[in-house]
Amino acid sequence: MNEKKRMILGSFAVTLILLLLCAGFIAVDLSFDKYMPGNFGSFFEITSLTPRGMAFTVMSNDYHIPFSIGDMDKEFFARLRSLLPAMPSAGAKAAAHAAEMLLEEH
């Protein structure tokens, strides 16, 4: 079998696997809706979008991002830090703690 035929068969196999994976996710989602309605919230949902800001839900936690820079303060960024994965979040917390310590000394 020449190289071109192997590449075509390989790409077909990868496409088929991805389609089956997508079908599996759809089947699981439909079974959750059928057998356990209302038990699970949405993973990501934009609840409101106004000129003042955007409110959204990620994994059943509510967040609000204001569009004006004046509304963004230290607590705002501390709440959004939980959206990061564990390692970047730990690095961000360490950097914030170091900045607080440096600013308190001076």
Side-chain angles (χ1 to χ4, degrees), residues 49-94:
L49 186 62
T50 63
R52 294 185 47 92
M54 177 177 76
F56 61 96
T57 303
V58 176
M59 295 179 65
S60 300
N61 292 324
D62 296 325
Y63 297 96
H64 178 74
I65 296 179
F67 290 150
S68 64
I69 294 177
D71 293 338
M72 296 182 186
D73 56 356
K74 189 176 177 182
E75 289 80 23
F76 167 74
F77 290 110
R79 281 181 288 149
L80 290 182
R81 195 178 300 141
S82 65
L83 289 175
L84 293 173
M87 287 305 290
S89 178
K93 287 179 185 177

Side-chain angles (χ1 to χ4, degrees), residues 2-72:
N2 64 13
E3 186 176 340
K4 192 171 188 178
K5 287 182 182 179
R6 284 189 306 168
M7 289 178 66
I8 290 173
L9 286 176
S11 63
F12 178 75
V14 168
T15 303
L16 185 64
I17 290 170
L18 290 175
L19 286 174
L20 290 174
L21 182 68
C22 182
F25 280 125
I26 291 171
V28 168
D29 188 45
L30 290 175
S31 68
F32 273 137
D33 287 343
K34 182 178 180 181
Y35 296 112
M36 294 182 276
N39 287 346
F40 298 98
S42 60
F43 179 75
F44 176 79
E45 178 183 9
I46 296 176
T47 54
S48 71
L49 186 62
T50 63
R52 294 185 47 92
M54 177 177 76
F56 61 96
T57 303
V58 176
M59 295 179 65
S60 300
N61 292 324
D62 296 325
Y63 297 96
H64 178 74
I65 296 179
F67 290 150
S68 64
I69 294 177
D71 293 338
M72 296 182 186

Side-chain angles (χ1 to χ4, degrees), residues 93-105:
K93 287 179 185 177
H97 183 67
E100 286 178 8
M101 288 177 53
L102 288 174
L103 293 175
E104 286 177 4
E105 290 179 8

